[in-house]
């Protein structure tokens, strides 16, 4: 549970587009997306970073997944 409430009915078009992409790729909307949706600049920066890191080919995909899991464990992320 977050301290900041997620975006509600006042969501802009960029958040709705990001939500559609999230639902299409992950099958669900994540809580961080709802919270970050309050600030479209941060949402755009994080979306761009995620797209670039997914398309990077200098490191094998399984190694990237392993690094993601390790970082999530180090920072205490539950997903």
């Amino acid at each position: 549970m977050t301290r900041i409430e997620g975006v509600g009915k006042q969501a802009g078009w960029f958040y709705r587009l990001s939500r559609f992409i999230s639902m299409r790729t992950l099958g669900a909307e994540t809580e961080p997306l709802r919270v970050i949706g309050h600030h479209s600049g941060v949402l755009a920066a994080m979306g761009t970073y995620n797209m670039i890191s997914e398309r990077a080919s200098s490191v094998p995909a399984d190694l990237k997944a392993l690094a993601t899991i390790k970082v999530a464990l180090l920072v205490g992320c539950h997903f």
Side-chain angles (χ1 to χ4, degrees), residues 14-77:
F14 190 66
Y15 170 76
R16 290 192 308 267
L17 176 66
S18 300
R19 183 179 184 275
F20 173 76
I21 294 170
S22 172
M23 294 292 286
R24 191 170 168 200
T25 57
L26 301 174
E29 180 185 20
T30 61
E31 185 72 22
L33 178 64
R34 281 190 291 242
V35 173
I36 295 167
H38 286 290
H39 195 283
S40 61
V42 174
L43 181 61
M46 289 186 70
T48 303
Y49 171 75
N50 286 332
M51 283 193 317
I52 290 171
S53 66
E54 285 176 5
R55 293 180 182 174
S57 61
S58 59
V59 177
D62 55 347
L63 187 58
K64 282 195 283 188
L66 183 63
T68 302
I69 292 169
K70 179 65 175 178
V71 169
L73 286 172
L74 288 174
V75 300
C77 181

